[in-house]
Amino acid sequence: MISIRLLIFFILLKNSHQVYECDYDYGLKCFPGLLSGSFVLLNGTSEEPRQPASDVTAIGTSHEDGEECFFPFQINSFDMFFCERTDPNLPATCPTFNSTGPRMNCSEGEYGYERFEGGEIGSRLHKLALTRDLEEGEHCIRFYYYLSDTNSNGNIQVIIEDTLANTNQTILTVSQRLQNRWHEIRQGFNVNNDKPNIYFEFNRNSSSDSLPYFIAIDEITILDIECEPDNTTTTITTTITPTSTLSTISSSTTASSLSPTTTVTLSTTTTSLTSTTVSNVTSSLPSNTTITTGTSTTTSSLLTSTTTTTRPSITNTSTSTSTTSPSTSASTTNQMTTSTASLTTPSTSTLTQSTTTTATTEGSSSIKIRSNIFLIILFLFYLF
């Protein structure tokens, strides 16, 4: 009960601002002298109509169960935005739910129109038959219009005449035609006295064919408040795709636990240095003693990384062993060199692996032994 009372309240509130309404239904004439129509008969061979096939009341038909007309639907390969009437003795119908859904009967109604014959151009002015005075201040006019095509440069102009100041003002010109259907328009205007005259001028400014041209109008309403803004909704969809780039270098250095959105570039520069070292060995060896010189190779690797995040430490370990012969005075050296580099933002790390080798010398001890044996033999031969 409360909801019904609220509904009635809002209807009365809306109607309290409505100072004029004309829909051509039930014999109403918004413009004296303007022609009126209701339906256009169509059949299986009809071409797309050049005037409204039904009025605004018909296309707005709805039932208590929520059924409404479904537009557009197909007739003879063109889109239909009106109720369809195929028999003058039967009501017009429209599909529901979808273009091939069950049909329902449309309400009866009329509209006003001007007809220009093929090749005819010109203007026709009609005065709106107001039923009451308008109060001074802001107002809103709203109506539906129809244009046959876009080739005739047709339009409707709404003109407000100030009868006290004897001035005219064109507050609206409508010429847009998106489809072969009714279009709704609204426009605010201000009146300075309570007895203005409102004129509608129907214009056809050019003609490129011999077909008749129709300009129609229906459901004219004037309110003593500002026009409601058009409801326009804009939806912006943005898709973000994460990208991961990892440059991998095959080496003994391992990088792990990288962020999936971090770009890392590792560059390695390797320089090989080769040197020959001769150990100075002092001994009483004979002149024919053979000295073997060992060669050591030192490899230096420079690892440079510049990034914006902290990375795990990188460890490189190398082991080098060199052994000398037990017959020399050179010593054996075992050395393990471990170097650790930690990449930090931003940082440059130099990783050097070094190998130390000791050159070895080998004496000819067998010659010395043979010499001693030869002396002993000579000494024994001398005794005997």
Side-chain angles (χ1 to χ4, degrees):
M1 181 63 68
I2 296 178
S3 60
I4 296 176
R5 290 178 179 176
L6 289 175
L7 179 61
I8 295 174
F9 171 77
F10 284 116
I11 293 175
L12 292 176
L13 181 63
K14 178 180 179 181
N15 291 336
S16 66
H17 293 288
Q18 183 173 293
V19 296
Y20 179 81
E21 181 181 21
C22 183
D23 56 12
Y24 273 94
D25 299 342
Y26 307 107
L28 289 177
K29 298 296 181 179
C30 308
F31 302 94
L34 190 66
L35 300 174
S36 61
S38 178
F39 288 95
V40 174
L41 294 178
L42 301 173
N43 55 45
T45 60
S46 298
E47 296 181 353
E48 188 174 11
R50 293 183 59 82
Q51 73 178 91
S54 65
D55 74 326
V56 175
T57 300
I59 64 175
T61 302
S62 62
H63 289 176
E64 294 180 355
D65 57 1
E67 288 184 339
E68 296 180 347
C69 291
F70 180 89
F71 298 116
F73 58 94
Q74 288 285 314
I75 295 181
N76 302 338
S77 73
F78 63 83
D79 288 338
M80 182 70 165
F81 290 87
F82 307 100
C83 291
E84 179 186 8
R85 192 168 194 171
T86 58
D87 191 323
N89 299 317
L90 296 175
T93 62
C94 66
T96 58
F97 301 111
N98 54 63
S99 60
T100 59
R103 293 265 176 161
M104 72 174 185
N105 295 336
C106 295
S107 303
E108 298 285 341
E110 293 185 349
Y111 57 86
Y113 69 91
E114 274 288 359
R115 173 179 173 140
F116 295 84
E117 299 301 330
E120 180 185 7
I121 61 175
S123 300
R124 298 171 187 177
L125 189 66
H126 296 274
K127 181 181 178 181
L128 184 65
L130 294 175
T131 57
R132 55 176 290 186
D133 295 337
L134 302 181
E135 296 181 359
E136 295 183 10
E138 189 72 21
H139 290 74
C140 178
I141 187 168
R142 181 181 64 219
F143 59 89
Y144 289 82
Y145 71 94
Y146 172 90
L147 303 174
S148 289
D149 57 44
T150 58
N151 303 323
S152 299
N153 194 20
N155 63 66
I156 300 175
Q157 289 186 321
V158 181
I159 303 170
I160 305 296
E161 180 188 20
D162 188 336
T163 57
L164 296 181
N166 197 24
T167 58
N168 298 328
Q169 179 186 6
T170 300
I171 64 169
L172 176 64
T173 300
V174 293
S175 59
Q176 186 179 43
R177 181 187 186 275
L178 301 179
Q179 296 162 315
N180 189 24
R181 61 178 177 86
W182 287 106
H183 298 75
E184 182 185 10
I185 189 68
R186 65 185 67 178
Q187 177 65 41
F189 66 98
N190 188 74
V191 295
N192 298 321
N193 67 79
D194 58 357
K195 296 184 183 298
N197 291 327
I198 302 179
Y199 295 92
F200 280 65
E201 188 174 56
F202 300 80
N203 304 301
R204 187 191 193 190
N205 299 311
S206 63
S207 176
S208 58
D209 52 45
S210 59
L211 298 174
Y213 185 77
F214 292 84
I215 302 176
I217 192 167
D218 199 6
E219 298 281 355
I220 305 170
T221 304
I222 298 178
L223 306 175
D224 62 357
I225 58 175
E226 294 182 0
C227 291
E228 298 176 358
D230 294 333
N231 295 325
T232 304
T233 302
T234 303
T235 303
I236 302 176
T237 303
T238 303
T239 303
I240 300 175
T241 304
T243 303
S244 298
T245 303
L246 179 62
S247 177
T248 305
I249 300 174
S250 178
S251 65
S252 60
T253 300
T254 303
S256 62
S257 302
L258 297 178
S259 172
T261 58
T262 302
T263 301
V264 178
T265 303
L266 298 177
S267 60
T268 302
T269 303
T270 303
T271 304
S272 297
L273 301 176
T274 303
S275 60
T276 302
T277 303
V278 178
S279 300
N280 294 324
V281 180
T282 303
S283 64
S284 58
L285 296 179
S287 60
N288 59 352
T289 300
T290 301
I291 299 177
T292 301
T293 303
T295 301
S296 65
T297 300
T298 302
T299 301
S300 175
S301 298
L302 176 62
L303 175 61
T304 303
S305 172
T306 302
T307 181
T308 58
T309 56
T310 302
R311 296 289 171 263
S313 60
I314 299 176
T315 303
N316 189 307
T317 302
S318 63
T319 303
S320 176
T321 303
S322 72
T323 307
T324 61
S325 174
S327 60
T328 66
S329 60
S331 64
T332 300
T333 302
N334 294 318
Q335 182 176 358
M336 176 180 293
T337 302
T338 301
S339 61
T340 302
S342 176
L343 300 183
T344 307
T345 306
S347 66
T348 301
S349 301
T350 302
L351 178 62
T352 305
Q353 61 176 10
S354 59
T355 303
T356 303
T357 59
T358 303
T360 61
T361 58
E362 181 182 355
S364 180
S365 59
S366 58
I367 296 176
K368 184 177 181 180
I369 294 173
R370 286 194 300 269
S371 177
N372 292 332
I373 294 174
F374 179 74
L375 292 175
I376 292 173
I377 293 174
L378 290 176
F379 179 73
L380 292 175
F381 180 78
Y382 177 78
L383 291 178
F384 293 100

